[in-house]
Amino acid sequence: MKTIVYRETGDPSVLQLVDRPVSDPGAGEVRVRIVVSGVNPTDWKSRRGSAPGEPLAFADVVPNQDGAGVVDAVGRGVSNVAVGDRVWVALAAYQRAQGGTAQEYAVLPADHVFLLPTPASFDQGASLGVPAITAYRALTVAEDGPRRLHPGALDGKIVLVAGGAGAVGHAAIQLAGWAGATVITTVSGPEKGALATAAGAHHVLTYTDSDVADEIRRIAPDGVDLIVEVAPAQNSTLDLAVIRNRGSIAVYANNGGDEMTLDVRKHFSLNVRYQFVLLYTVGAEVVQQAAAGINEALVDGALAIGADAGLPLHRFGLAHTADAHALVESGVTGKVLIDVSAG
């Protein structure tokens, strides 16, 4: 089979296309023929490490956490999927040398493999994983909010999504709207604003406007219930200005700064909750719950992709995985997908 590997950290040029034998799944494992692989910022960050040329935990690593395909074989004790099932996968490369989706066949733990509902495409399946599960988690951490999303779960709630044109922001807009929330999002300008509107945001604001806090307060006079935050250091002042009493701020990234300063007294007075979100350590039960909810949303048609749905697609062949990584690393807007095998 064709496989992409890297043997040291570095820029996209460390990614190599090699031939490898197909491995058999062991107990509790599933072999998936990957049709489409999705690329996320976490994939290039793992590949780069903290400096070029660092040793890896394994002799070589297959990149990419997300993907979709068809179950090709199952190991002993697997009951959640069967041979021939269409599936999406998440966290495929986490703590595994050969689990990444940038290869024709991936052997994965069964609990990282989820049935892909019939209405959904392989492209949709490969676009879930890290972005959708992160968004789902961020929307279910509020003190007085739901632990499970479904239509009506967020009725009456106002959700602010920072960076609504990004992959997580896009999924958060869609999931929050599907669950009944009024969704406000902030973006950098009109082009990204059009994408956030296409994703379903009810109110799209430019975060550089001097009166953005006032605009949010006009929509939510009592403050917003939940903020899905991508840039906590940059947005901490704005977040404090618009969060309601007992509101929650779910932080899933640190775009724009690794450190932030909080006004303790003002946060005290509002009983604000900060919740940080990292999928790798959030726990298997949380991931499973999110996957089940995401599948419900897929069935309801709530997680559409493509430019018309606010998430433009960029495609590459497996041999051009390095180009795909470079495009994501450049900060491209939209979803980067790799066509691995025929659907």
Side-chain angles (χ1 to χ4, degrees), residues 152-330:
L154 292 174
D155 279 356
K157 303 290 187 181
I158 301 178
V159 175
L160 171 61
V161 178
V168 176
H170 177 264
I173 289 170
Q174 292 180 317
L175 288 169
W178 170 68
T182 296
V183 183
I184 307 169
T185 190
T186 54
V187 296
S188 60
E191 186 175 336
K192 290 187 176 180
L195 294 175
T197 298
H202 302 100
H203 305 275
V204 179
L205 305 175
T206 303
Y207 61 74
T208 54
D209 287 350
S210 60
D211 63 345
V212 64
D214 294 334
E215 289 293 323
I216 293 170
R217 280 288 181 174
R218 275 192 277 273
I219 300 164
D222 296 325
V224 300
D225 298 277
L226 174 65
I227 299 173
V228 180
E229 186 56 81
V230 66
Q234 290 181 323
N235 293 336
S236 59
T237 300
L238 173 63
D239 292 346
L240 181 58
V242 302
I243 195 72
R244 70 159 172 84
N245 185 52
R246 291 176 59 197
S248 295
I249 303 170
V251 178
Y252 69 88
N254 62 338
N255 292 4
D258 290 337
E259 297 182 358
M260 58 190 293
T261 300
L262 301 179
D263 186 314
V264 175
R265 287 184 179 273
K266 290 182 179 180
H267 284 86
F268 264 140
S269 68
L270 287 171
N271 293 280
V272 174
R273 167 184 289 194
Y274 265 91
Q275 173 71 57
F276 291 83
V277 177
L278 180 67
L279 290 194
Y280 297 120
T281 53
V282 77
E285 183 178 353
V286 170
V287 172
Q288 293 293 320
Q289 290 173 346
I294 287 164
N295 273 357
E296 291 180 32
L298 281 172
V299 170
D300 286 347
L303 287 167
I305 60 173
D308 291 344
L311 192 72
L313 302 182
H314 310 275
R315 313 195 74 94
F316 293 85
L318 184 63
H320 297 283
T321 295
D323 295 327
H325 269 232
L327 188 60
V328 175
E329 195 166 349
S330 74

Side-chain angles (χ1 to χ4, degrees), residues 6-281:
Y6 62 98
R7 298 184 171 95
E8 61 179 8
T9 57
D11 65 26
S13 68
V14 301
L15 297 170
Q16 303 175 33
L17 179 66
V18 300
D19 283 305
R20 281 218 168 129
V22 177
S23 300
D24 292 326
E29 293 182 329
V30 177
R31 186 169 70 208
V32 178
R33 178 173 62 81
I34 302 297
V35 176
V36 181
S37 174
V39 187
N40 298 296
T42 190
D43 298 317
W44 71 255
K45 290 174 184 177
S46 295
R47 187 207 72 235
R48 272 206 178 267
S50 59
E54 291 179 329
L56 304 174
F58 307 98
D60 50 28
V61 173
V62 179
N64 297 2
Q65 300 288 353
D66 297 342
V70 178
V71 175
D72 182 69
V74 298
R76 179 170 47 84
V78 172
S79 59
N80 62 314
V81 293
V83 172
D85 284 343
R86 299 165 69 251
V87 295
W88 59 281
V89 307
L91 303 178
Y94 179 54
Q95 294 184 331
R96 295 176 72 84
Q98 312 305 329
T101 60
Q103 58 182 332
E104 292 179 314
Y105 293 88
V107 175
L108 305 169
D111 60 1
H112 289 197
V113 181
F114 312 101
L115 288 171
L116 183 63
T118 300
S121 67
F122 288 121
D123 285 357
Q124 283 178 282
S127 302
L128 299 173
V130 170
I133 297 175
T134 298
Y136 191 100
R137 172 65 174 170
L139 293 168
T140 53
V141 298
E143 178 182 0
D144 52 2
R147 291 294 176 265
R148 184 177 73 85
L149 296 183
H150 54 81
L154 292 174
D155 279 356
K157 303 290 187 181
I158 301 178
V159 175
L160 171 61
V161 178
V168 176
H170 177 264
I173 289 170
Q174 292 180 317
L175 288 169
W178 170 68
T182 296
V183 183
I184 307 169
T185 190
T186 54
V187 296
S188 60
E191 186 175 336
K192 290 187 176 180
L195 294 175
T197 298
H202 302 100
H203 305 275
V204 179
L205 305 175
T206 303
Y207 61 74
T208 54
D209 287 350
S210 60
D211 63 345
V212 64
D214 294 334
E215 289 293 323
I216 293 170
R217 280 288 181 174
R218 275 192 277 273
I219 300 164
D222 296 325
V224 300
D225 298 277
L226 174 65
I227 299 173
V228 180
E229 186 56 81
V230 66
Q234 290 181 323
N235 293 336
S236 59
T237 300
L238 173 63
D239 292 346
L240 181 58
V242 302
I243 195 72
R244 70 159 172 84
N245 185 52
R246 291 176 59 197
S248 295
I249 303 170
V251 178
Y252 69 88
N254 62 338
N255 292 4
D258 290 337
E259 297 182 358
M260 58 190 293
T261 300
L262 301 179
D263 186 314
V264 175
R265 287 184 179 273
K266 290 182 179 180
H267 284 86
F268 264 140
S269 68
L270 287 171
N271 293 280
V272 174
R273 167 184 289 194
Y274 265 91
Q275 173 71 57
F276 291 83
V277 177
L278 180 67
L279 290 194
Y280 297 120
T281 53

